[in-house]
Every structure is written in structure tokens, then in C-alpha cells.
Amino acid sequence: THQQENLAARLHDLIETAGPLVEKITGLTLPAEPVFRILIPKVWRAEAVASVARVCAHDLAECPPAEVSRLRAAPKVTRVMMRAAWVMSMGLTVTGATGRSETLVSAEALRHTGLLADPQVMGQTVAHELVHHAQNLATGGDRRWVTLLPHLHGIGELARDHVVEGHARWADRLVTAALFGVPVDDEQAPRSRRYRRRAKMPLVPMPFG
């Protein structure tokens, strides 16, 4: 569709602009061609669930019996949660079926989050997800970073997530400051009424590693 073509062009331009800044600021290397997939909401949700299922399959091969039920339930929990939470997603970077990092985006979700109306926040989001691509490349498939059970590897789940997200948030602010003259805060984006309603409701905890 015309909307998808326009979004693809905007993403491409932002990747080309923000990519070198992400590498300079983080000291990490990006994949040669970072993958951003534009999906309809139904497919976006299915891909998000599939990514959790792949992580669970790896975890099940090495987890203690006490964790088995949690892992087997994780894809179903994700599916239920995503029916409501997809509208709040600005981007989700996962390890795809091919083993490469890919960022899943939905034009409809970007409209609800306000990114389509705010080029600066769109730039922040692209920079943020590019950092995740660089992180994933740097860790090289290290299971400590792609698991629902980081404690089995001696890492606290919240500690790991704070490191990964904190690093991406730190970098995206520096990238946007370089691009736009000021650090960008995604809270400035004009959220839709549906987004604001959903944000007031409790969410099922995200089961992503």
C-alpha cells in the first residue's frame, strides 16, 4: 500500500542517517543491512509470539523441571497480552527465524503511538531499535541475553533488562540530540485515544528476554 511504501522510505532514510551515529556513540557495529519489517497487526502479533516460542524452545532444552510449565505457557501468555498491547508498540526487535535481528513495526501501531505524526520520535525509535541490533550482533547469540531464564546463567532478569534498555535509551537520546539539536522524549508524541485508554489499564508482564 501507499502508506507502507511511505513508511518504508522514511525508515530507510532514518536508518541511513541514524545508523552511523549509533555506531559512533555506542562503539558497536550494526548489521550490514538492519532489517525493519512492516507488518499488519495480526502478523505483527504472530511474529512476536513466534519469537517467544523460539526462545522457549532453546530454554526447554536446558531448564530445570520447575521452570518447564512457565516456559510452555509463555507463548500463550504473549498471545493474550499482545491482543491488547500491540497498539502501544513503537517497535520490537527480536531474533527472527533466520537467526538475524529484525525489528517488527506496524503502521497502525505507529499511528496510535504518534510516531507517524512526529518525525523526531520516529527518529528516536529507529535509533533505539538500531542499538538493539548492534547489541544482538555484539553478543553473538550468547544465551545469557536471549533467554527467559537469565538467572540460570547468573544474571538477574531485571538487571539484564535494565542494562539492555538503559543502554539503548542512553544512546537514542544522544543520537536524537545530534540529529535534532535536543534529546527526544517519546512522551511528546501525540498518542491516540485508544493508546491512552490502553495505557491506563494493567498489562500482563512482557515475557521477552
Side-chain angles (χ1 to χ4, degrees):
T1 66
H2 177 70
Q3 182 185 44
Q4 287 185 320
E5 291 175 356
N6 182 53
L7 177 56
R10 291 176 64 182
L11 289 173
H12 177 270
D13 290 346
L14 285 168
I15 291 168
E16 291 291 308
T17 303
L21 289 170
V22 167
E23 292 187 320
K24 179 179 179 180
I25 287 166
T26 64
L28 300 177
T29 301
L30 284 167
E33 295 182 1
V35 176
F36 280 63
R37 297 177 60 196
I38 304 170
L39 308 170
I40 62 173
K42 180 179 179 180
V43 177
W44 188 97
R45 293 192 297 268
E47 289 292 331
V49 173
S51 72
V52 171
R54 286 191 292 270
V55 173
C56 288
H58 284 291
D59 283 347
L60 281 168
E62 59 187 26
C63 77
E67 302 283 6
V68 169
S69 60
R70 174 192 170 191
L71 289 176
R72 288 180 174 165
K76 182 177 180 180
V77 171
T78 304
R79 186 177 297 108
V80 172
M81 183 270 291
M82 285 298 180
R83 287 175 185 164
W86 71 271
V87 73
M88 300 177 66
S89 176
M90 293 182 286
L92 177 65
T93 298
V94 302
T95 300
T98 62
R100 294 184 59 191
S101 291
E102 53 187 42
T103 298
L104 312 178
V105 297
S106 160
E108 185 70 6
L110 296 187
R111 181 180 68 80
H112 285 292
T113 57
L115 269 66
L116 293 182
D118 193 320
Q120 291 188 348
V121 179
M122 178 76 83
Q124 178 201 23
T125 295
V126 170
H128 188 97
E129 301 306 325
L130 285 175
V131 176
H132 288 321
H133 281 267
Q135 292 169 341
N136 292 345
L137 188 61
T139 55
D142 188 328
R143 291 294 303 152
R144 292 175 296 176
W145 302 97
V146 188
T147 175
L148 298 189
L149 306 172
H151 60 279
L152 296 184
H153 304 275
I155 299 177
E157 186 168 353
L158 286 177
R160 181 195 59 178
D161 294 346
H162 286 167
V163 168
V164 171
E165 285 300 318
H167 179 235
R169 183 66 170 176
W170 165 79
D172 77 43
R173 290 179 65 82
L174 292 179
V175 170
T176 54
L179 287 177
F180 306 116
V182 293
V184 174
D185 185 342
D186 60 72
E187 290 298 323
Q188 74 187 46
R191 313 297 198 194
S192 72
R193 182 177 300 175
R194 183 175 177 182
Y195 178 104
R196 295 195 302 271
R197 273 201 316 268
R198 180 61 242 179
K200 293 178 182 178
M201 299 170 64
L203 289 174
V204 177
M206 289 284 281
F208 292 101

